[in-house]
């Protein structure tokens, strides 16, 4: 079993040359049933009026939820895909950092359900997201 530090290091490696790297998403904390990531809020993730784009928030949420499935499930034999996501955006933010914490609501063998709370640096709730992932068996060659 990998240590928490090894899992966080692995998450950095698998994000090279991906959307997560483009959006500067960084996985920062891992617990027994949760994973936390952060993302800077700047012009790269703004909508035209200068606030955090909802799509960037959803990308952050799906990234942290999918990575949580990846680190908490048997990825030697299964691959993970997001199959449904819904988000409610409650507060806007113009600059700083947002933090997404993915926590299991259901951890099944096939499907997983997460609640992902996106907050700012002062712990204000920015968005709340529900993500369903599926673990599918890898085909043998």
């Amino acid at each position: 079993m990998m240590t928490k530090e090894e899992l966080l290091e692995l998450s950095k490696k698998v994000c090279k040359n991906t959307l997560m790297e483009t959006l500067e998403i960084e996985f920062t904390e891992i617990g027994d049933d949760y994973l936390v990531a952060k993302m800077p809020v700047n012009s790269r993730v703004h909508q035209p009026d200068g606030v955090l784009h909802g799509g960037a928030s959803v990308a952050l949420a799906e990234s942290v939820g999918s990575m949580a499935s990846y680190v908490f499930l048997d990825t030697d034999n299964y691959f993970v895909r997001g199959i449904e996501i819904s988000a409610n955006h409650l507060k806007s933010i113009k600059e700083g950092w947002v933090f997404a914490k993915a926590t299991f609501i259901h951890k099944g063998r096939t499907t997983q359900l997460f609640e992902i709370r996106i907050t700012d640096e002062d712990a204000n709730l920015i968005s709340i997201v529900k993500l369903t992932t599926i673990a599918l068996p890898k085909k043998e060659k």
Side-chain angles (χ1 to χ4, degrees), residues 33-130:
D33 66 347
Y34 71 90
L35 182 64
V36 178
K38 68 179 184 176
M39 180 179 72
V41 179
N42 53 41
S43 62
R44 294 174 66 160
V45 295
H46 282 167
Q47 59 187 29
D49 68 349
V51 299
L52 177 62
H53 193 290
S57 295
V58 171
L60 171 62
E62 183 149 0
S63 297
V64 73
S66 293
M67 184 61 73
S69 283
Y70 181 81
V71 299
F72 290 116
L73 299 174
D74 175 13
T75 52
D76 288 337
N77 296 305
Y78 295 88
F79 64 92
V80 174
R81 295 291 182 264
I83 57 173
E84 184 175 7
I85 192 164
S86 65
N88 293 93
H89 306 298
L90 307 170
K91 185 175 173 73
S92 61
I93 180 174
K94 292 184 176 196
E95 60 185 12
W97 291 87
V98 285
F99 302 87
K101 182 177 183 178
T103 306
F104 280 101
I105 295 171
H106 170 72
K107 187 178 178 183
R109 286 180 298 182
T110 305
T111 60
Q112 303 77 43
L113 179 61
F114 291 94
E115 176 186 78
I116 301 156
R117 299 175 68 85
I118 300 176
T119 56
D120 65 14
E121 293 168 280
D122 296 322
N124 295 306
L125 186 60
I126 304 298
S127 298
I128 189 157
V129 181
K130 185 174 73 172

